[in-house]
Amino acid sequence: MEDLSMDDLLAALQTTQKAKTTSRLSERNVVELVNKLKQLGILGDDLLYTMNGREYLTTARLRSEVAACLRRAGGRLPLVELPALLGVDLVHCERQARALVQASPGDVFEAQGELITQQYFDGLAAEVNEMLQDCGMVSVSELALQYGLATDQVLSALSPRVASGAVNGRLDAGLLYTPAYLRSVKARLRGALR
């Protein structure tokens, strides 16, 4: 074997690749074989099949694909969109979404059938801050309606960001306002009372 040149080896490889095989397994036979190995416990329970039935993936791989879809979606992703994106049944997607939430406490959470990250709320806070600087005052209920979130979620997301200064304003009684807005309201009130 040592006396063969590179050309001889390439020719042998090409001949081998062109040779017809006498026995082949169909896709159906492979699926049946994998199912039987799974049934016998040789492959384990963490192997999932896709909705088209042609591919298998592990639960760890599905969890990482759920996390990747969440990142691509900008940090907010409805759970019902996962089967179409990943080609896996909703039950398996929901299970791995819950595992993702448990694996990253405080960073990713599930609310109203959606996965939401803290990075999403950071972006939302930046948008709200920009809107607040333009308008002077914004209602939390309006923000909840605009972003399709519960009012409690918006409050819990904005409160620490207002306290840290990420949102330049005050949060009081369901209203978010700037000090400049408060001064202008006081000035108008003084003018009306004179």
Side-chain angles (χ1 to χ4, degrees), residues 113-133:
E114 292 183 312
L115 288 176
I116 304 175
T117 64
Q118 288 298 331
Q119 289 78 15
Y120 172 78
F121 282 124
D122 290 341
L124 180 134
E127 288 179 26
V128 167
N129 189 43
E130 199 172 296
M131 184 186 316
L132 184 62
Q133 300 313 311

Side-chain angles (χ1 to χ4, degrees), residues 131-139 142 174-178 181:
M131 184 186 316
L132 184 62
Q133 300 313 311
D134 289 344
C135 300
M137 189 267 309
V138 152
S139 166
E142 288 176 19
L175 292 176
L176 191 58
Y177 54 87
T178 63
Y181 176 78

Side-chain angles (χ1 to χ4, degrees), residues 1-118:
M1 192 97 174
E2 292 178 28
D3 57 342
L4 292 176
S5 69
M6 183 60 87
D7 293 331
D8 293 337
L9 289 172
L10 287 173
L13 175 64
Q14 192 172 25
T15 305
T16 305
Q17 287 177 336
K18 287 183 180 179
K20 296 278 185 195
T21 58
T22 55
S23 60
R24 234 170 214 255
L25 291 175
S26 67
E27 277 187 30
R28 182 179 173 160
N29 290 349
V30 171
V31 168
E32 288 175 7
L33 181 64
V34 169
N35 286 337
K36 187 65 174 178
L37 290 172
K38 191 175 174 185
Q39 192 178 48
L40 293 172
I42 296 172
L43 290 178
D45 289 334
D46 73 335
L47 193 64
L48 307 170
Y49 57 90
T50 58
M51 288 193 291
N52 66 10
R54 293 179 172 211
E55 297 173 4
Y56 289 88
L57 70 158
T58 62
T59 54
R61 174 63 185 219
L62 180 59
R63 190 176 311 122
S64 70
E65 288 190 18
V66 167
C69 283
L70 183 58
R71 278 190 302 277
R72 283 193 303 269
R76 184 176 179 189
L77 180 66
L79 290 174
V80 294
E81 289 183 13
L82 285 172
L85 294 170
L86 301 175
V88 180
D89 192 44
L90 180 61
V91 173
H92 301 302
C93 292
E94 287 176 339
R95 200 173 291 142
Q96 294 314 309
R98 278 192 300 273
L100 180 65
V101 168
Q102 290 172 354
S104 55
D107 189 40
V108 177
F109 61 94
E110 182 181 349
Q112 299 176 343
E114 292 183 312
L115 288 176
I116 304 175
T117 64
Q118 288 298 331

